[in-house]
Amino acid sequence: MSEINLKEAEPIHCQYTRTSPNCCTCLSSCRGIVAALVRRDLEKACGMENSMEEIVEKKTDVVVKGDAALKTQFLTTKDKFHEFVDSGWKGPKGHKTSDNDKPEEEKETSVEEPETKKFKVDPEERNKVGKPDGKRIRGQNKSRPHTKPNAFDEKRLCPSVIQDNKECTYGDKCIFLHDAAEYMGSKLADIGESCYLYDTFGKCAFGLSCRYAKAHTTPDFKTMENAELIKANEGRETVKNSLKKELQNQLRKRSVAFKKSEEYLKTLANNKDKTQQLGNAVVSADPAGEEQCVSTEAETQQASQDKQPPVKTIGPLTDEDVIKLRQCEKKQVDFQDKLYLAPLTTCGNLPFRRLCKRFGADITCGEMAMCTNLLQGQQSEWALLKRHESEDVFGVQVEGCFPDTMTRCAELINNNADVDFVDINSGCPIDLVYKKGGGCGLMTRNRKFEQIIKGMNHVLDVPLTVKIRTGVQEKCNIAHKLIPEMKKWDVSMITLHGRSREQRYTKLADWDYITACSKLASPVPLFGNGDILSYEDAMKAKETGVSGIMIARGALIKPWIFTEIKESRHWDISSNERLDVLRDFSNFGLEHWGSDTRGVEKTRTFMLEWLSFMCRYIPVGLLERVPQKINERPPFYMGRNYLESLMASQHAGDWIRISEMLLGPVPKNFIFLPKHKANAYK
């Protein structure tokens, strides 16, 4: 810029001092003012450049916000990633596949990759960067197609033939095949040469229908047995809490007796009637009405004193007939400093829990079960209560919104299932449950909540635990008000998820609030839950003073997190080790759901549901900054080998490829759409 000569300036009056520029007092002030103006112009010029750089930086920040920090040599683009994965894929039999090799049904029903999550930006940045289009996609794929399990078998073998050629009770009316040779001719090809069930137990219960039948079938279509293994496993009960047919029939006919529940519900009804009577007496304005109210209270006290506990009139008299078990006399569970695998809908099935137990989980819990479905004897709901022999500390989680159904359900579980504790789900955020008053709805219905907890405690011989959230609305926490009340209601343990119902699984969990609530809950154990994906996260959580840690999505993304926490290290697990984990899951699934076509496809479906979470894992050796955070999504990257890259894919078609490596090719009419839209990616 050109220099300014103040002496050669025109003799005009200064606009700041309103005096002549030749004046001595004005001359010095003008020089300072003009210098300031020059400096301001220079700053403006430089500032425009800086502001342009800031805008560019902000644009870049919005694009990469939420991405995990990976080493630059592994980063790639979406097109290059999928080109590499597709070019390197070899089918289950070892030959490379192309788009032309795919069946027409698979091409039509292929699932496109989910879009990148649209992050919220500040209003100021929105004008500069551009407004994100439309609403953010969230929630579940509620209208996804459902395929019946028996749709993959056109011709099925009669169970009488599978079970050692027993006589068919249906005779000529039977719709299944009875000719073993005909069935074997039309049956789908075997998946492998060895059967996990036969190798483990010495006998495969699925016989000729097993997809690994060659391992235990003679040329004349007889099923072989290993006598030594059968003898070694004699009397072993690997899975407990199965629904017996007799109990199911009784539940359907509503002929099951709930003695303890009826006792408690009668006291509720009596208290309600007395409250109404007292209320009516107080409302009356005349003195006679007041006297009547006092006499009613006196009669109530006298009646309660005269009332004797119900006892048996026949048979020996025991303490339980007269005295109800106190809280301290119930079965106790040591919850202190334990790692708790959260009850996970769909993915928290028995085979997955077995894996987590092997990796070091201390406490496991079944998936959330609806109390009304359990009382109706639904087989699918009772399957959620099944317990494997390896689960040493196991509980079941129930959901309901009324004291009568929840109390009866608790008594039903207490009498017919082997569990160490029962958990009430009062943190479920889904609309189907919340609108009925269950899940998070219980947190705003204190009276019903109290009646449910006291009723379940009355009928249970095991501890009762409760899982809650911080509240319903995002900025209105109410858990700190509920926790002191739950202590009075004799809750044995509380689990607090550090998010509200409105937040669902967005934003970070509020561990400061969990810390404050853990102090309120003492001496009742309080477990913290939210955003734990590494042992460092777990160590920080333990510093808050919680009694233990519940892990949910972190276990789905990497089930070996329990090993990392107990050994205080980051495990750079290889892709082959991760494939072995999936292989163990497939074997456990075949044992649990069956090794026939129906069981294989059910195992595959649950594996795919799990892979929709597991693909978010980023190997430790690829990270620029360790550890990975649960709210950071992986960018497109090339793994250290092809399998590691394949496991990083967010495309459902690639998850199916991984399942084919373990469970053989999918049937022609197989369709899969993830249950969750995976909020981290959409």
Side-chain angles (χ1 to χ4, degrees), residues 101-114:
D101 296 331
K102 295 181 181 179
E104 294 181 2
E105 293 86 348
E106 187 178 345
K107 289 180 182 178
E108 293 174 359
T109 59
S110 61
V111 183
E112 294 184 359
E113 181 165 357

Side-chain angles (χ1 to χ4, degrees), residues 260-448:
K260 290 185 178 180
S261 300
E262 296 305 324
E263 287 176 12
Y264 174 74
L265 294 172
K266 280 180 183 177
T267 59
L268 275 186
N270 292 336
N271 291 338
K272 185 177 180 182
D273 294 339
K274 289 172 184 175
T275 304
Q276 289 177 351
Q277 289 176 6
L278 291 172
N280 294 334
V282 171
V283 167
S284 60
D286 58 324
E290 294 176 4
E291 292 174 5
Q292 187 179 3
C293 177
V294 173
S295 63
T296 304
E297 290 179 359
E299 289 173 3
T300 304
Q301 292 176 0
Q302 184 66 28
S304 62
Q305 290 174 2
D306 296 339
K307 188 176 179 181
Q308 298 295 327
V311 297
K312 292 180 181 178
T313 56
I314 300 176
L317 187 66
T318 62
D319 290 342
E320 291 182 0
D321 297 321
V322 183
I323 306 169
K324 186 173 76 73
L325 284 175
R326 293 180 297 171
Q327 191 69 18
C328 60
E329 294 173 332
K330 291 186 177 183
K331 179 181 178 180
Q332 299 297 312
V333 176
D334 182 18
F335 292 109
Q336 198 67 31
D337 294 326
K338 294 291 193 296
L339 295 178
Y340 185 174
L341 173 64
L344 303 162
T345 306
T346 305
C347 295
N349 45 65
L350 187 142
F352 179 77
R353 297 199 304 270
R354 286 182 65 181
L355 280 178
C356 292
K357 283 299 297 182
R358 287 175 54 176
F359 282 119
D362 297 315
I363 304 173
T364 55
C365 187
E367 302 172 58
M368 181 186 74
M370 304 284 189
C371 67
T372 50
N373 295 346
L374 292 173
L375 291 170
Q376 291 169 5
Q378 291 187 15
Q379 185 74 46
S380 58
E381 209 72 19
W382 274 83
L384 306 177
L385 309 186
K386 288 185 177 180
R387 172 184 190 172
H388 192 259
E389 61 180 358
S390 63
E391 298 179 274
D392 49 353
V393 182
F394 173 76
V396 295
Q397 187 182 71
V398 292
E399 179 279 323
C401 49
F402 298 107
D404 55 343
T405 53
M406 289 289 278
T407 305
R408 291 190 182 102
C409 181
E411 186 175 359
L412 182 67
I413 293 170
N414 191 72
N415 296 338
N416 298 280
D418 179 14
V419 297
D420 297 306
F421 64 93
V422 176
D423 185 65
I424 300 174
N425 187 338
S426 53
C428 181
I430 63 174
D431 295 336
L432 180 67
V433 174
Y434 177 75
K435 288 180 179 178
K436 291 180 181 178
C440 280
L442 282 177
M443 296 183 68
T444 58
R445 304 167 69 217
N446 286 16
R447 188 178 175 187
K448 290 290 183 188

